[in-house]
């Protein structure tokens, strides 16, 4: 595969400095120190030039996003299915159990949100295992679906670095990415569905969130669309301490009614440091505010539900169009439940005997939780006949296509040329009112690149960086 840009060695330092300055001046930034509340910033890590991806495969994934939006919108509202899928894993997974407990309580109280908003991201890797390269789905992020703003702005950086390399025409091969505008538009549409002009959008984040500037981009973008909409930001803990419910289940924060709660936190146990954060989540969930995601949506994004959706006949329950069902199913890898019984036993056996061909996944988000290779062997040998194995699902491992590129990092070594593999995310947004879906969009993409030999990469630890596609024919 040819690269999108060739930089002469004696110009490389200059190009990198310009790219870093482009990032800093266009808001591709993060706090200099994680956990600090200060105005000292640095640029995010990124790949110097965009990565070649076959256009027809990229566009196929864009198209199937509308099907996934509809699927996940419908699944999010199927209480029985979600509870049933998760049932056997809960004894050994305290975090998911706590979330499901909230789900049960709000379901029993028959609390009805005034509308629905799901902003999701489907992640894929280009599998090189078979003769024909295909994007296969890694996961559907229903809550940990961030970086939309960074990704949109990075598109402009990559068009710039292509031009610096002398590839002027190539900038047209970097597709438009309206993910920031798409998130903001969906928030505004949900706010309109709620239908209370004085009510606010509330973005819920960690108190010192490394993504704070990403959140600001979203806030500013909402302001561009409708400057009348009040936009607040707070933590789960502050909701726990300061929010209340009014007579008709309205969520009130600091005296202001909340129309939309947009969670940019809440998806891993570490975000609930005490009962106060759980209380914050519970108060918000008991309200009629539109939550993004809904608690059903959050749970629909677990790995266990992903596996359950891959069982024969399940997608058909949510999607009428048989062609859409095929489009969705074609993106799936083989997924296996480890529930007790002959099917689960068989899955354990094949994983133990072919450990390099699988990934073992618990119901966790945001990276660093999956098991690979010898870790699979060890864990499954330990849990072979134990019900504890049900807190994992087993997934066929994708062998991703490899590419080469320059990683530009803030940390030393600041620039390295490496063999890489990438993961493509497509963002979707879907808004509904009491009569059904009123807004269903594919809103943009995100490309993350990690060293080819690594099983997982992390943007936070700079072992993965952000990138853009360069579409080839
Ligand atoms: P998380 O919710 O933690 O992001 P993911 O399912 O996205 O969980 O897995 C994290 C990472 O593990 C992915 O970004 C990818 O690098 C790797 N990974 C996950 N599933 C597979 C797979 N089936 N084949 C190859 N790598 C995978
Ligand atoms: Mg992921």
């Amino acid at each position: 595969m040819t690269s999108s840009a060739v930089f002469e060695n004696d110009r490389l330092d200059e190009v990198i400095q310009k790219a870093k300055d482009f990032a800093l001046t266009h808001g591709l930034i993060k706090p200099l120190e994680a956990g600090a509340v200060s105005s000292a910033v640095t640029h995010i890590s990124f790949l110097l030039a965009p990565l070649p991806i076959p256009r027809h495969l990229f566009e196929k994934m864009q198209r199937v996003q509308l099907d996934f939006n509809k699927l996940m919108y419908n699944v999010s509202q199927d209480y029985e299915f979600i509870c049933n899928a998760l049932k056997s894993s809960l004894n050994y997974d305290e975090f998911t159990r706590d979330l499901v407990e909230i789900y049960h309580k709000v379901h029993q109280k028959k609390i009805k949100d005034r509308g629905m908003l799901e902003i999701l991201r489907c992640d894929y890797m280009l599998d090189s295992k078979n003769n024909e390269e295909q994007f296969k789905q890694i996961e559907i992020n229903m809550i940990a679906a961030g970086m939309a703003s960074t990704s949109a702005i990075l598109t402009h950086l990559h068009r710039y670095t292509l031009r610096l390399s002398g590839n002027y025409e190539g900038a047209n091969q970097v597709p438009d990415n309206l993910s920031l505008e798409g998130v903001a538009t969906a928030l505004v549409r949900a706010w309109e569905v709620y239908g209370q002009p004085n009510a606010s959008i509330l973005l819920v984040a960690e108190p010192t969130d490394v993504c704070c500037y990403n959140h600001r981009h979203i806030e500013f973008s909402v302001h561009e669309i409708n400057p009348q909409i009040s936009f607040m930001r707070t933590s789960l803990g502050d909701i726990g301490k300061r929010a209340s419910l009014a007579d008709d289940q309205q969520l009130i924060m600091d005296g202001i009614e909340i129309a939309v709660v947009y969670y940019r936190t809440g998806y891993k146990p570490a975000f609930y440091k005490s009962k106060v954060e759980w209380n914050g989540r519970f108060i918000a969930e008991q309200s009629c505010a539109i939550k993004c995601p809904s608690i059903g949506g959050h749970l629909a994004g677990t790995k266990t539900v992903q596996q359950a959706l891959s069982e024969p006949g399940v997608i058909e329950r949510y999607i009428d169009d048989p062609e859409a069902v095929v489009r969705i199913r074609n993106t799936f890898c083989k997924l296996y439940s480890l529930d007790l019984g002959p099917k689960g036993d068989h899955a354990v056996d094949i994983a133990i005997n072919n450990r390099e061909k699988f990934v073992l996944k618990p119901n966790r988000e945001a990276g660093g939780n999956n098991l690979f290779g010898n870790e699979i062997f060890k864990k499954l040998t330990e849990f072979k006949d134990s019900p504890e194995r049900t807190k994992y699902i087993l997934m066929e491992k994708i062998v991703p296509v490899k590419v080469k590129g320059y990683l530009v990092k803030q940390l030393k070594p600041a620039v390295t040329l490496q063999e890489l593999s990438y993961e493509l995310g497509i963002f979707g947004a879907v808004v509904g009112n009491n009569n059904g879906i009123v807004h269903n969009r594919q809103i943009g993409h995100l490309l993350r690149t990690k060293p080819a030999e690594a099983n997982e990469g992390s943007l936070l630890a700079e072992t993965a960086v952000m990138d853009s596609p360069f579409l080839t024919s």
Side-chain angles (χ1 to χ4, degrees), residues 29-36 42-46 147 206 208-212 214 267-268 270-271 365-368 409-411 448-450 456-466:
I29 53 174
K30 61 182 182 182
L32 187 58
E33 284 173 51
T42 184
H43 60 82
I44 60 153
S45 305
F46 57 90
M147 311 305 276
E206 287 299 283
T208 53
D209 203 310
V210 74
C211 294
C212 53
N214 300 8
Y267 47 83
K268 50 184 192 181
F271 292 152
E365 299 291 333
K409 301 182 189 180
Q410 188 254 325
L411 296 176
R448 281 170 301 166
T449 313
K450 66 171 177 55
E456 291 194 38
S458 155
L459 290 175
L460 255 185
E462 296 199 330
T463 52
V465 303
M466 304 248 325

Side-chain angles (χ1 to χ4, degrees), residues 121 123 138-139 141 303 365-367 423 448:
R121 199 187 69 225
D123 288 342
I138 297 283
E139 64 162 338
N141 293 285
K303 279 41 176 190
E365 299 291 333
E423 188 169 338
R448 281 170 301 166

